[in-house]
């Protein structure tokens, strides 16, 4: 497919899981991908995977909570490619704790990465998306697609996940507010959120160290032993098995493309039925 040919995508958290799949999928559709992560080794590996598959990728290290780094990296994208069309705010972490036992530090850490990181990315990518394209079918026009990775935890509560749910619910409404600002500005930028269900990625190795989620959902797991994995928790999903990162990447590529041209402020739920009951 070549529906993103000539476009440039910035993907955060691309060293692993959904971000890596998104980078591969967007490149497969023809986009040049500028990928970042705090994990340099994994990020470089993703860039090599994109290149090996015939795509164009650049990797840079980034902590999404560092504002000056966002400014530097967006400037780098503009210097390298002269345009920015797609931003996937994907980097995220999760941790569980009963609200009475959650430390302020754990709360602040999740808010910083999952929510402030999305704000900073949007703030710094928007001026680039609002820069008229130098050439191609969009010559002289502005536009872009911002895709914020929320979660089913941004749509419904889960036991032991109040901090994570707060960040993902925040991302959901932040997305809608930005969509309204861009629509009012008539800048051609769309902003949508994606809500994955239980997806088989490394995030599950750390997400429920406290065991509060497994206990609350009554699906087993061993508190303190990192024993909760996507397979176990997905038993509580209607389809009975976890999704794969590519299931989410396909939705991201759709939101990045013109096929979703009339969607902004929308929630794309890809959850194996998790929120349908
Ligand atoms: N896997 C799921 O079941 C699931 C479900 C719903 C939503 N999500 C969301 O999808 C996104 C991707 O998660 P994943 O499942 O692929 O997990 P993952 O752990 O495989 O990937 C997350 C990536 O983010 C990076 N990262 C963490 N902190 C960072 C920081 N400060 N700056 C830059 N990068 C940082 C990590 O190094 C990692 O490569 C997250 O926002 C997550 O909350 C995942």
């Amino acid at each position: 497919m070549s529906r993103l040919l000539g476009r440039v995508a910035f993907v955060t958290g691309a060293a692993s899981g959904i971000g890596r799949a998104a980078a591969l999928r967007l490149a497969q559709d023809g986009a040049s991908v500028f990928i970042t992560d705090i994990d340099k080794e994994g990020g470089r590996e993703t860039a090599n995977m994109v290149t090996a598959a015939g795509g164009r990728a650049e990797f840079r290290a980034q902590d999404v909570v560092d504002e000056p780094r966002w400014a530097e990296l967006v400037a780098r994208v503009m210097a390298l490619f002269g345009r920015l069309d797609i931003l996937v705010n994907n980097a995220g972490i999760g941790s569980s704790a009963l609200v009475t036992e959650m430390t302020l530090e754990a709360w602040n850490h999740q808010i910083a990465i999952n929510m402030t990181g999305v704000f900073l990315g949007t703030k710094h990518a928007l001026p680039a998306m609002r820069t008229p394209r130098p050439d191609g079918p969009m010559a002289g026009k502005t536009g872009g697609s911002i895709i914020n990775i929320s979660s089913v935890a941004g749509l419904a509560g889960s036991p032991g996940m109040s901090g994570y749910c707060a960040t993902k619910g925040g991302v959901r409404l932040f997305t809608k507010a930005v969509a309204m600002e861009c629509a009012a500005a008539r800048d051609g930028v769309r902003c949508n959120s994606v809500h994955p269900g239980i997806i088989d990625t490394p995030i599950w190795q750390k997400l429920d160290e406290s065991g509060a989620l497994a206990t609350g959902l009554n699906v087993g797991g061993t508190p303190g032993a990192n024993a909760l994995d996507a397979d176990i928790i997905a038993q509580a999903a209607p389809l009975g098995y976890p999704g794969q990162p590519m299931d989410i990447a396909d939705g991201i590529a759709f939101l990045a493309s013109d096929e979703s041209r009339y969607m902004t402020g929308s929630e794309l739920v890809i959850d194996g039925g998790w929120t349908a009951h």
Side-chain angles (χ1 to χ4, degrees), residues 139-158:
K141 292 189 185 154
T142 70
S145 176
I146 299 173
I147 300 154
N148 294 330
I149 309 307
S150 174
S151 169
V152 289
L155 299 170
S158 291

Side-chain angles (χ1 to χ4, degrees), residues 175-187:
T175 299
K176 291 181 195 300
V178 170
M180 294 304 98
E181 284 188 25
C182 292
R186 298 281 188 269
D187 60 8

Side-chain angles (χ1 to χ4, degrees), residues 12-20 36-39 62-65 89-94 109 113-114 149-153 164 168 194-204 206 230 245:
T12 70
S16 171
I18 293 169
R20 170 174 283 176
T36 72
D37 204 292
I38 205 161
D39 168 5
Q62 179 185 29
D63 181 342
V64 291
V65 308
N89 277 316
N90 165 77
I93 55 159
H109 189 50
I113 297 173
N114 293 2
I149 309 307
S150 174
S151 169
V152 289
Y164 185 75
K168 294 301 184 180
V194 176
H195 300 262
I198 310 305
I199 310 302
D200 193 5
T201 75
I203 207 171
W204 288 100
K206 291 189 219 133

